[in-house]
Amino acid sequence: MDKKKIEIEICTGTLCHVMGGSELQLLEDHLSPEQKEYVIVKGCTCLDFCSDSSKGKAPFVKINGKCLSEASIPKVLNYLKTLERNDLHESGNVDPTGTAKPDSKTVF
């Protein structure tokens, strides 16, 4: 069974870039060959999450439509591992910190 695509959008706006987002542009270099088959990484001029303090702090990344704040390569990779391990990319049981939310389907 093929894995579903995971789309990662990296904010390349000024604030995100200055706050560490520039390193996120190298994210694809840290993906395994298998991940590169189903993870799509692209830059976005501005995700506009910085205008809403409830979204957290820059830099921001959007993974399958969900905001990940204070993003770093290790944090994004951890989020991806959580998605892979628990197949949560459809159920939405991952909070913005990249941690799986417990439910009846999640096993820790």
Side-chain angles (χ1 to χ4, degrees):
M1 180 178 181
D2 290 334
K3 290 190 180 254
K4 297 196 182 201
K5 297 286 183 192
I6 296 174
E7 184 175 298
I8 299 175
E9 293 178 76
I10 299 169
C11 183
T12 60
T14 303
L15 180 61
C16 286
H17 184 80
V18 170
M19 296 298 290
S22 58
E23 81 167 37
L24 292 167
Q25 312 233 354
L26 301 174
L27 176 64
E28 207 162 353
D29 295 341
H30 295 270
L31 297 176
S32 70
E34 180 185 290
Q35 287 173 319
K36 289 179 181 180
E37 292 179 19
Y38 62 88
V39 175
I40 300 164
V41 180
K42 59 185 179 179
C44 181
T45 305
C46 184
L47 294 172
D48 202 31
F49 291 136
C50 55
S51 63
D52 182 354
S53 63
S54 70
K55 298 285 188 188
K57 295 180 181 178
F60 295 100
V61 169
K62 191 163 58 168
I63 302 177
N64 283 356
K66 298 192 182 306
C67 172
L68 185 67
S69 64
E70 298 180 66
S72 64
I73 289 174
K75 191 171 183 178
V76 172
L77 293 175
N78 182 53
Y79 192 107
L80 287 175
K81 286 179 187 173
T82 301
L83 292 176
E84 293 164 347
R85 185 173 48 245
N86 298 305
D87 195 29
L88 299 175
H89 56 281
E90 289 184 348
S91 67
N93 289 329
V94 177
D95 71 22
T97 66
T99 305
K101 296 178 191 175
D103 69 3
S104 60
K105 296 179 185 173
T106 307
V107 179
F108 293 97

